[in-house]
Amino acid sequence: QVAPAAKPSGTPREAMGRTLQLAAAALAAATHLGACASQPRMKTVPQPQVPHASGVEVADFSDNVLPLMRVGHRVLDLAHGGHFDAHLQDTPDEIRPPSVVAFYDSSDEACMAGYAELNYDSLAEAAFPARERLMIGRYDIYAAPRRPWYKFTPELDLAKRFAVDACPQVVFVPRHCNGWTEWCSRGPDPTNPNVTLMGCEAFVDQCTGTRKWDGSEELHEWVVNQVAEAGEPKIARFFGSYQEQGNWLRTRDRTTTVTHMRNIFQSKASPAFTERGFKVVEIPKEVSEWLHGFLARHENDWHLEEWGGDLTQMNFHEHPTSFVELDLEGEARDEIALKYLKPLIEEWSGLKDLELTAFYGIREYPNSAWLRGHIDRTDTHVLSATISLKKTDEEAAKQ
């Protein structure tokens, strides 16, 4: 991880600091912390003036006049289908409860009147089962595709995935839905064969058996009956009660929602140094040789990583990861980074005199382990490089 080195006042580094402050302000302006009124409210969110690199054109398909999103509420504001999937992925199969999602259109007065009549938030707090037995969300059909700076792919359109055909509409999602939507590939990027383009109509939705409320019985009664029919989730071995399990799920809900909010709002409030934002290249020979040699010298220094239960950037609770610190050879590590990696990043970004802020170590991901897309801390992780050293599975190594 590298960041522009400190320079005198008035330099691009100072502009960078102002921009990162704006990024935090934009994130705060675009979300609500804690509870708020059940009716979404339209609000113009001030857009930061970001000093992008000269000649770089940045794509931004977002609309800045949209209802605010909530963080930390009993009813999860779902940004898109990937956000919904992430909440399901966060919970092991045996303890995952079913879900219910209310779909509405904040631009349609008639739909919003119908949504208000549902008293959805009040029912969520007082009549629906608790979090350990039911995940509750809501999805704004109008705002969801207009919030991100990028265009939706079909996998992200949750309303289309669940065949929503009325407004408002409440959909019950069974326990077996685990969030592992199979994205489809559009093939290699014409400009870089090392990159695969993802997102198209031929995706496979793992979630089947969803049900729609038809209004023939009271909403809260229908939801309670659906939950009872789905069966009780198990209590994880490390919890003593359903209440403890629910508290754990709620802390993870908040982390996952904040991760997705940062991906949407903070990305477009941060400076762009290149047209694309990433580049895939071969590892410099000298770097690869040193890192493989380091692994051989420290094969007995691996240890399991420890992560807090509220962190959802990795599925460590199901597939623990191992780690070995490059601090064991800190002087050589810094020499390698400064001699070979720093120039690569400077050339790609167009920035000079970058400051090395971190070169952590080597992590081993076992099969089925994953790292969720996220934005790191902006005070140190402005530009980054991830090095894929090897695959220990012989079949995977052929891919």
Side-chain angles (χ1 to χ4, degrees):
Q1 313 287 353
V2 294
K7 292 185 178 181
S9 176
T11 66
R13 170 60 174 167
E14 187 178 56
M16 172 79 70
R18 290 195 296 269
T19 299
L20 297 180
Q21 289 178 348
L22 283 170
L27 179 64
T31 61
H32 264 328
L33 300 179
C36 69
S38 62
Q39 283 292 82
R41 295 178 296 150
M42 293 288 188
K43 182 172 181 177
T44 301
V45 178
Q47 301 299 293
Q49 299 301 309
V50 183
H52 301 299
S54 176
V56 173
E57 295 185 8
V58 177
D60 185 358
F61 298 96
S62 63
D63 184 344
N64 68 328
V65 185
L66 293 170
L68 299 175
M69 295 196 71
R70 305 180 299 191
V71 178
H73 196 276
R74 175 67 179 101
V75 180
L76 300 171
D77 260 342
L78 300 172
H80 47 64
H83 181 199
F84 175 74
D85 287 343
H87 283 292
L88 300 183
Q89 294 164 10
D90 288 343
T91 312
D93 291 346
E94 65 274 10
I95 72 170
R96 183 185 307 109
S99 308
V100 64
V101 181
F103 291 84
Y104 62 93
D105 184 335
S106 60
S107 70
D108 185 325
E109 289 187 9
C111 177
M112 293 311 298
Y115 179 74
E117 290 178 2
L118 294 179
N119 290 319
Y120 190 67
D121 277 20
S122 297
L123 291 176
E125 294 286 358
F128 291 171
R131 176 63 180 91
E132 59 271 18
R133 289 180 171 86
L134 181 68
M135 186 176 83
I136 307 172
R138 67 178 190 175
Y139 186 89
D140 188 338
I141 300 169
Y142 174 80
R146 292 170 173 82
R147 284 196 180 101
W149 52 271
Y150 48 83
K151 289 184 177 180
F152 262 25
T153 63
E155 295 90 343
L156 297 176
D157 189 343
L158 193 61
K160 186 175 182 180
R161 281 171 48 182
F162 287 172
V164 171
D165 54 10
C167 193
Q169 190 161 79
V170 179
V171 177
F172 181 82
V173 182
R175 284 186 57 206
H176 73 259
C177 294
N178 61 20
W180 288 109
T181 301
E182 185 179 328
W183 285 51
C184 62
S185 167
R186 288 178 278 152
D189 181 352
T191 66
N192 188 337
N194 292 321
V195 175
T196 299
L197 300 178
M198 304 296 293
C200 50
E201 293 287 350
F203 71 93
V204 179
D205 200 326
Q206 181 274 340
C207 187
T208 58
T210 58
R211 304 166 192 167
K212 300 172 183 176
W213 176 57
D214 62 8
S216 61
E217 59 183 311
E218 294 294 330
L219 177 58
H220 71 279
E221 294 177 352
W222 180 79
V223 168
V224 169
N225 289 337
Q226 297 299 313
V227 171
E229 185 179 331
E232 288 271 272
K234 293 183 179 179
I235 300 178
R237 63 183 183 278
F238 42 86
F239 295 124
S241 66
Y242 276 114
Q243 184 175 359
E244 286 184 19
Q245 190 158 288
N247 292 337
W248 181 72
L249 292 173
R250 280 189 288 272
T251 62
R252 293 170 66 76
D253 286 343
R254 184 182 181 89
T255 301
T256 294
T257 296
V258 169
T259 295
H260 282 276
M261 295 305 96
R262 284 167 60 89
N263 289 350
I264 290 175
F265 298 113
Q266 191 159 316
S267 291
K268 69 176 186 175
S270 300
F273 305 106
T274 66
E275 282 286 343
R276 195 156 206 185
F278 71 91
K279 186 177 182 180
V280 181
V281 299
E282 295 293 328
I283 305 172
K285 178 182 177 182
E286 297 83 357
V287 176
S288 180
E289 289 179 349
W290 185 84
L291 287 172
H292 279 91
F294 177 91
L295 283 177
R297 293 188 295 274
H298 298 284
E299 61 180 348
N300 296 322
D301 293 317
W302 289 93
H303 62 84
L304 287 178
E305 289 190 279
E306 295 184 5
W307 296 81
D310 61 326
L311 300 180
T312 59
Q313 290 85 353
M314 296 176 62
N315 61 337
F316 64 91
H317 58 285
E318 294 179 289
H319 302 283
T321 52
S322 299
F323 196 82
V324 58
E325 286 89 356
L326 291 179
D327 287 349
L328 294 170
E329 297 184 22
E331 186 174 338
R333 170 204 62 193
D334 291 351
E335 181 179 343
I336 287 289
L338 294 172
K339 186 174 182 179
Y340 298 106
L341 299 179
K342 179 172 173 281
L344 272 180
I345 297 174
E346 288 179 338
E347 179 184 6
W348 167 67
S349 66
L351 297 176
K352 300 299 180 183
D353 301 322
L354 295 179
E355 174 189 357
L356 175 66
T357 56
F359 194 4
Y360 301 123
I362 302 170
R363 174 181 292 141
E364 181 179 24
Y365 294 89
N367 287 339
S368 300
W370 47 258
L371 174 67
R372 178 167 292 151
H374 62 281
I375 293 179
D376 280 312
R377 49 188 293 185
T378 54
D379 57 336
T380 56
H381 294 40
V382 177
L383 296 162
S384 303
T386 299
I387 301 171
S388 182
L389 277 178
K390 66 178 181 178
K391 295 181 180 179
T392 55
D393 181 278
E394 292 184 4
E395 290 301 316
K398 296 176 184 178
Q399 299 177 4

